[in-house]
Amino acid sequence: MRDPLSVANASNVVLIGCHRYTALEELPAVERNLTSLRDMLTNPRVWGVGGRIEMVQQPSDDREVLSAVKRAARSARDTLVVYYAGHGLIDPFTDELYLALTESREEELYVERALRFELLRRVIGSSGADKKVLLLDCCYSGLALSGAMGGDGATHAADHAIVEGVCVITSASETARSVAPPRERFTAFTGALLDTLEMGVPGAGAYLDMTTLYDTIKSKLEVRRIPELEARRLPEPQMRNRNTAGRICIARNLAPAQASPSSPAERPRPLPPSVDGLRLEPSQVRIYSADGDVTGSGFLIAADVVCTCAHVVTQALRVPDTTDPAADQPLELDFPLLSGRPRAEARVIYWRHDEDVALLQLDMAVEGTRPAPLANGTSVWGHTVRVLGFPRHLEGGVWVTGALQARTADGWLQVETPPQTNRITAGFSGSPAWDEAQRGVAGMVVAAHRGEPTAYLLPYADLIASLPEWFRPSATGCPFPGLTAFAEDDAEFFYGREADTDRVHGTVCRQPVTLLTGPSGCGKSSLVSAGVLPRLRAEGMSVSKLRPQPGEPPAFALAWVLAGILEPELGEVERLAKAKDLMRWLETADDEPSQLRRKGLILPEGSRHVLFVDQLEQYVDAEPDAARSLFNLIAALPGQDSPAALRIVVTARPDSLHVLATPRTSDLISNAVQILAPLAGDDLKRAITAPVDAVPAVMFEPWLPERIVADAGDEPGRMPLVQVVLAELWQRRTDSMLTHAAYDSLGGLPGALVFHAERVLAELTQDQQECARRLFVQLARPGDGDTFIRRSAGATELAPEVRSLAKTLAHDRLIVLSHAPGGTGQEEIIDLPHEALTRLWPRLRHWLIDSRDSRLWQETLRADLKRWDAQGRDPDRLLHGADMAQAYRRMASDLGDLSVDERDYILLSLSHHSRRRVRLRQAVIGAVTVLTVLATVLVITI
């Protein structure tokens, strides 16, 4: 579906305004209207119209205005937006609307030196833009909708101004004056418009169409009253549009998406800490001295790291405040809000007296605890915070509620508690202050006025800045793999699949072969690599991995891996020799697996091994017969009567199963299949949030995970997109927070994958971009209709400059490199990170469609080459006739995109054809010679 937002680089905006006049009242707010509206519309978070916006300020002649609008109207292809703010004037005889310019004046019989609205309407109507928007912020602007337009008085503005694809919104009715409230920055109408663009409309979706903008502006103005206007309501804006013009979108909705789809119009209310997933309770600690006295609080910022005040530590250890505590001195603490109040010991790993910050490391993580999420400490005035402290004689703790103010000159965040309530006093040091609006810890209590309602927090941003470099988020790698699958090393960040991991692990332990299947992008490889394999290794099993590559003989692919399983100590040369022996057994034995097990596959006694065959569907797509043969060999390896020493785990798409099935394997497939569905709901949310929770001092902005889950919906390929978004959000985090602003700048999920690819491509030179085109069209082959299927390419298939670029793109996760077994072990296989790129990246789709005929021919050529090679290079399998002629023409134009083998095959066909022609010519000449001799003999005889 097309993005409803108007295309910024095909749209034009003209902002017109007059704030100083020679004969009319000045309107200083109008000047600010124009500059702020320009800044808002050029902001990429809102629209990003950039340099296609023109401001016409203080025009004194209507030709200056009309010329600017004409220029914009001519070049706008998608949307034309015209805005005017200033005085609106009415012709005393015709009731026609005029827009005031700097030297306009109202005479008794006419309006002088003003812009006749009808002329502006004509220019706007002449534009070839698909959509047109007119915004009028002036007195009597409603005349543009329903007032007389001159002439005979019978024609109304509604008949003129409202044409196909035009939306008109005015600040007032035909008889009302617009308002610029005294001492306010903007006029009433434009102020409401700017506020709506900046704050968004909760529940309105990802974009704001003109109807939503109008309804929201109208609602804002309806509830406002200006004292200077004697409690009268502000003028009511008007709107008129034809057909679908009300759906025109010139702004993204900056309001956070709703967490609950069942109530889209109501933004969820933040939950108190006791209800909000027990986020504070499992993180707060109470710190004791050696005498058993409570000296203060702290809170977990990592699974085994507590943050507290430096002076709380020195008091607990009974040393002077300026003394650096010894690292081996234990501290006693407990978790007072958890059931049983579990106790633990910790030791100082970081201490800064000047910053009043200390870090304590637990001897071991405590079950049931988790780090506290941190909240943004800016723009928090009036936010309610809750703090639990342990003052003397109240060591069971007491809750205090206060209101955040703002930073002081010292950089601390001020908190005020209400009169006649508990106050923050001694015993609250180190306590986390829970911001109810942001659902996180806004800061740590560091000081309070004795007997006063004022206390101070060290804001979380400063807290993070004060931590040692090795503990900051910048020192932690991204927990999201982007387009690539989770690997075994990523197991600590792999969440959301706990139940599936248990299920597949149990299946692997019970039966010899497990076939994990599910749609592309659902996470099959990640589940096995980061979920199942680490658990099997922990149970004592060794692991080998096989990812068969097209063009690789199935027997050798399996033999190479088996050689490493049987004799892992072999060097490269010895392993190759062993693999060749095993391959011969596989290729020549009547019952290959049985003979293989008897002759070579004997694992050391007591050892257990798992063979992981990943993404078999790629082999199936490219070489179905070879894939079927490989699966037959793999499936039979463990044997039904063999010890449970070898286990096989295979991942493949569902559409590959019918290709793999044979009479020998059909029953096995039926029993071995485990289906993996795409993540959804709470599991998807956990996959998003838990990796961030596992990183110290990093958090999501409130409601952002819920928004991502809602945007992901039920699309089958959502997980790669989610991972790309999360990886990008990680790189764009602000003050250790993953933000809505960063998500909006990506265009949400739909734009993330394309954004990543386009960003990588934009950093390439022109020559590199051409190499990228050549590379990417080789990594997909045409399918049915307009579809394309990912394919792997061997490095030898590509020109040197293309291979070099592939290595560069691999660093940006836009290309995946792997090594083929055998030989020197250095043969590289080049692949796309995910098949979704062939569907969702417009640039790649364009390349693939343009090259479709060429690639279809090349795939046919590769099939001919493969048959020729498989049949002993029979000369009859070389190219002939029209096929050869076409190959010769293609080779001349596509030389850089043909592999060495493909070129040699064509050249050999040409050579063979030439030799045949020579032989044929010689045969013809010989035949003619014989006939000539015979004819001569006959003549002589006669």
Side-chain angles (χ1 to χ4, degrees):
M1 180 180 293
R2 182 185 172 188
D3 191 330
L5 186 67
S6 293
V7 179
N9 59 12
S11 302
N12 286 339
V13 179
V14 183
L15 305 178
I16 310 159
C18 291
H19 58 276
R20 286 195 306 271
Y21 301 86
T22 57
L24 300 173
E25 179 186 359
E26 291 191 359
L27 299 172
V30 168
E31 183 178 17
R32 295 188 288 270
N33 282 1
L34 266 64
T35 56
S36 296
L37 194 55
R38 176 201 60 194
D39 294 344
M40 188 68 69
L41 295 179
T42 55
N43 186 338
R45 291 183 59 207
V46 178
W47 188 12
V49 75
R52 301 179 68 93
I53 191 166
E54 182 174 357
M55 293 177 61
V56 184
Q57 293 180 293
Q58 298 301 104
S60 58
D61 190 298
D62 60 0
R63 288 173 296 183
E64 181 180 355
V65 176
L66 295 175
S67 295
V69 178
K70 283 179 183 178
R71 288 193 297 272
R74 281 196 298 266
S75 61
R77 301 188 306 278
D78 189 283
T79 302
L80 172 67
V81 178
V82 178
Y83 165 91
Y84 170 83
H87 284 295
L89 307 175
I90 301 177
D91 185 282
F93 273 74
T94 66
D95 290 335
E96 192 173 355
L97 176 65
Y98 281 77
L99 307 179
L101 307 178
T102 56
E103 298 179 11
S104 297
R105 64 179 63 244
E106 292 181 288
E107 298 291 347
E108 183 177 354
L109 300 177
Y110 55 85
V111 174
E112 183 179 15
R113 300 183 66 82
L115 170 62
R116 183 184 174 200
F117 171 73
E118 167 62 13
L119 299 180
L120 179 63
R121 183 205 65 77
R122 293 177 189 175
V123 175
I124 294 173
S126 71
S127 175
D130 294 335
K131 296 164 284 188
K132 308 174 188 71
V133 174
L134 174 61
L135 303 172
L136 294 179
D137 188 358
C138 61
C139 297
Y140 318 120
S141 51
L143 284 171
L145 301 174
S146 58
M149 289 290 292
D152 59 7
T155 304
H156 290 81
D159 299 323
H160 289 276
I162 308 305
V163 295
E164 296 295 334
V166 178
C167 177
V168 182
I169 300 180
T170 68
S171 62
S173 68
E174 62 203 74
T175 59
R177 298 177 62 88
S178 287
V179 175
R183 297 182 298 279
E184 293 203 7
R185 183 171 177 79
F186 308 109
T187 60
F189 172 81
T190 301
L193 170 62
L194 289 167
D195 185 63
T196 303
L197 294 174
E198 181 178 9
M199 303 304 295
V201 181
Y207 303 96
L208 300 178
D209 60 26
M210 301 311 299
T211 300
T212 302
L213 278 176
Y214 168 74
D215 290 342
T216 306
I217 293 170
K218 182 179 178 182
S219 297
K220 289 177 181 289
L221 297 178
E222 281 178 348
V223 299
R224 285 199 62 191
R225 296 177 182 271
I226 305 301
E228 289 83 353
L229 298 181
E230 299 177 353
R232 288 190 292 111
R233 292 186 182 275
L234 293 173
E236 182 176 334
Q238 310 289 310
M239 176 177 177
R240 192 75 59 82
N241 60 76
R242 178 70 59 83
N243 292 337
T244 61
R247 301 178 189 172
I248 298 173
C249 294
I250 60 171
R252 296 181 178 87
N253 187 5
L254 299 190
Q258 299 305 307
S260 173
S262 61
S263 53
E266 179 183 356
R267 184 172 182 175
R269 296 181 59 189
L271 300 173
S274 59
V275 180
D276 184 29
L278 297 179
R279 302 299 290 274
L280 185 59
E281 280 82 344
S283 68
Q284 182 155 2
V285 303
R286 180 170 48 183
I287 299 174
Y288 296 88
S289 69
D291 301 329
D293 296 329
V294 177
T295 62
S297 291
F299 57 101
L300 289 176
I301 57 174
D304 60 349
V305 178
V306 172
C307 182
T308 186
C309 293
H311 73 265
V312 170
V313 173
T314 54
Q315 289 176 17
L317 296 176
R318 299 291 194 253
V319 297
D321 284 347
T322 56
T323 301
D324 190 352
D328 60 350
Q329 290 182 272
L331 285 163
E332 292 287 333
L333 54 85
D334 68 0
F335 290 83
L337 300 180
L338 289 184
S339 176
R341 296 190 291 277
R343 299 182 72 89
E345 279 194 354
R347 285 167 173 76
V348 179
I349 57 173
Y350 179 75
W351 184 86
R352 283 285 299 273
H353 169 69
D354 54 341
E355 299 286 350
D356 202 11
V357 174
L359 296 181
L360 312 177
Q361 185 162 34
L362 302 177
D363 288 350
M364 63 178 62
V366 177
E367 185 177 358
T369 64
R370 65 176 298 171
L374 302 179
N376 194 335
T378 60
S379 303
V380 294
W381 187 285
H383 285 200
T384 299
V385 291
R386 292 187 178 191
V387 186
L388 176 65
F390 304 94
R392 188 177 295 276
H393 307 306
L394 288 173
E395 294 184 350
V398 60
W399 285 97
V400 171
T401 300
L404 293 176
Q405 305 296 296
R407 284 178 179 257
T408 65
D410 294 329
W412 288 347
L413 194 59
Q414 185 173 329
V415 182
E416 293 291 327
T417 55
Q420 287 81 48
T421 63
N422 293 321
R423 295 176 178 176
I424 297 175
T425 61
F428 279 79
S429 295
S431 293
W434 180 270
D435 184 337
E436 291 191 356
Q438 298 192 72
R439 301 191 307 163
V441 174
M444 178 176 69
V445 176
V446 292
H449 285 298
R450 188 181 299 275
E452 298 294 330
T454 303
Y456 302 95
L457 309 177
L458 180 63
Y460 102 94
D462 294 354
L463 177 63
I464 298 303
S466 68
L467 297 179
E469 188 67 33
W470 52 264
F471 195 78
R472 296 181 192 174
S474 58
T476 303
C478 178
F480 303 108
L483 283 174
T484 58
F486 281 88
E488 285 191 70
D489 292 341
D490 302 320
E492 63 177 312
F493 300 121
F494 184 67
Y495 291 92
R497 290 290 193 185
E498 289 80 3
D500 290 315
T501 300
D502 291 341
R503 172 170 58 89
V504 175
H505 170 264
T507 303
V508 173
C509 292
R510 286 192 307 271
Q511 59 192 48
V513 178
T514 301
L515 180 54
L516 184 62
T517 185
S520 179
C522 71
K524 300 182 292 293
S525 299
S526 295
L527 175 68
V528 177
S529 294
V532 177
L533 294 186
R535 187 176 298 186
L536 294 174
R537 286 189 190 273
E539 295 169 352
M541 294 189 75
S542 54
V543 176
S544 294
K545 299 177 183 179
L546 169 61
R547 185 176 176 185
Q549 302 296 335
E552 187 176 59
F556 180 76
L558 180 57
W560 176 264
V561 175
L562 292 177
I565 296 174
L566 296 171
E567 300 182 47
E569 73 284 353
L570 291 178
E572 195 78 14
V573 176
E574 293 83 0
R575 182 176 178 180
L576 179 59
K578 177 70 173 179
K580 288 181 177 178
D581 288 340
L582 292 173
M583 183 177 67
R584 282 193 295 271
W585 291 337
L586 288 170
E587 290 178 334
T588 60
D590 294 333
D591 183 0
E592 303 96 330
S594 297
Q595 288 210 14
L596 178 61
R597 287 196 297 275
R598 289 197 301 270
K599 294 183 178 182
L601 186 55
I602 302 174
L603 296 176
E605 186 174 352
S607 65
R608 298 165 63 224
H609 197 89
V610 59
L611 173 60
F612 175 31
V613 185
D614 193 19
Q615 298 187 19
L616 189 57
E617 67 269 11
Q618 292 186 28
Y619 203 22
V620 170
D621 289 341
E623 300 183 37
D625 291 339
R628 188 182 302 111
S629 176
L630 177 62
F631 185 72
N632 282 339
L633 295 172
I634 289 172
L637 277 177
Q640 298 301 319
D641 55 349
S642 65
L646 180 65
R647 288 289 185 257
I648 310 293
V649 180
V650 181
T651 63
R653 289 196 310 264
D655 57 352
S656 302
L657 300 186
H658 74 280
V659 177
L660 299 176
T662 65
R664 175 184 293 178
T665 61
S666 295
D667 290 342
L668 182 144
I669 289 176
S670 299
N671 296 325
V673 165
Q674 290 287 309
I675 298 175
L676 186 66
L679 275 176
D682 292 341
D683 288 335
L684 177 58
K685 182 179 177 183
R686 177 164 170 74
I688 293 170
T689 59
V692 173
D693 291 343
V695 178
V698 184
M699 67 171 293
F700 281 100
E701 195 170 6
W703 305 116
L704 180 54
E706 290 85 352
R707 183 179 176 191
I708 296 173
V709 171
D711 288 350
D714 295 324
E715 294 298 322
R718 55 185 172 270
M719 278 310 298
L721 297 181
V722 168
Q723 288 295 326
V724 169
V725 164
L726 294 172
E728 289 291 341
L729 289 176
W730 181 268
Q731 299 301 326
R732 295 163 175 252
R733 63 188 186 277
T734 303
D735 291 335
S736 303
M737 181 175 286
L738 282 64
T739 65
H740 286 280
Y743 186 68
D744 290 332
S745 70
L746 291 170
L749 282 175
L753 187 60
V754 172
F755 178 87
H756 172 74
E758 285 293 333
R759 187 186 66 176
V760 172
L761 211 65
E763 296 173 355
L764 303 180
T765 66
Q766 194 67 35
D767 290 342
Q768 286 178 318
Q769 290 188 18
E770 173 57 24
C771 281
R773 183 197 65 77
R774 293 168 56 193
L775 169 63
F776 282 111
V777 298
Q778 290 298 317
L779 299 181
R781 59 182 177 84
D784 296 334
D786 61 351
T787 63
F788 295 88
I789 301 169
R790 178 178 59 176
R791 69 174 290 270
S792 301
T796 55
E797 295 181 21
L798 306 174
E801 65 272 17
V802 178
R803 291 200 300 269
S804 176
L805 179 65
K807 292 181 179 180
T808 300
L809 297 179
H811 293 297
D812 296 307
R813 295 184 176 182
L814 200 53
I815 288 294
V816 176
L817 300 179
S818 58
H819 292 275
T824 61
Q826 298 302 312
E827 172 69 5
E828 284 184 322
I829 302 299
I830 301 168
D831 203 352
L832 290 175
H834 198 276
E835 196 165 358
L837 281 174
T838 65
R839 303 189 307 272
L840 302 178
W841 187 9
R843 186 188 298 267
L844 178 56
R845 291 281 301 174
H846 176 72
W847 286 342
L848 292 174
I849 291 171
D850 282 352
S851 65
R852 184 181 184 85
D853 290 344
S854 175
R855 288 289 294 111
L856 279 171
W857 168 81
Q858 189 175 24
E859 289 300 313
T860 301
L861 176 69
R862 286 170 175 162
D864 292 339
L865 172 58
K866 189 179 301 182
R867 281 193 297 270
W868 171 73
D869 192 52
Q871 296 184 15
R873 303 198 169 194
D874 182 353
D876 290 338
R877 285 294 182 180
L878 292 171
L879 299 173
H880 301 285
D883 290 339
M884 186 179 66
Q886 183 183 23
Y888 181 76
R889 292 193 301 271
R890 291 280 187 180
M891 186 174 67
S893 60
D894 297 338
L895 186 62
D897 295 326
L898 292 175
S899 70
V900 173
D901 289 343
E902 291 161 3
R903 291 197 300 271
D904 289 347
Y905 179 61
I906 296 173
L907 292 173
L908 184 60
S909 298
L910 288 169
S911 176
H912 179 70
H913 177 68
S914 297
R915 289 195 300 271
R916 287 188 61 186
R917 289 186 63 183
V918 169
R919 289 195 299 271
L920 180 60
R921 185 182 299 110
Q922 290 173 343
V924 170
I925 292 173
V928 170
T929 301
V930 170
L931 291 174
T932 302
V933 171
L934 289 174
T936 302
V937 171
L938 289 173
V939 170
I940 294 174
T941 302
I942 293 172

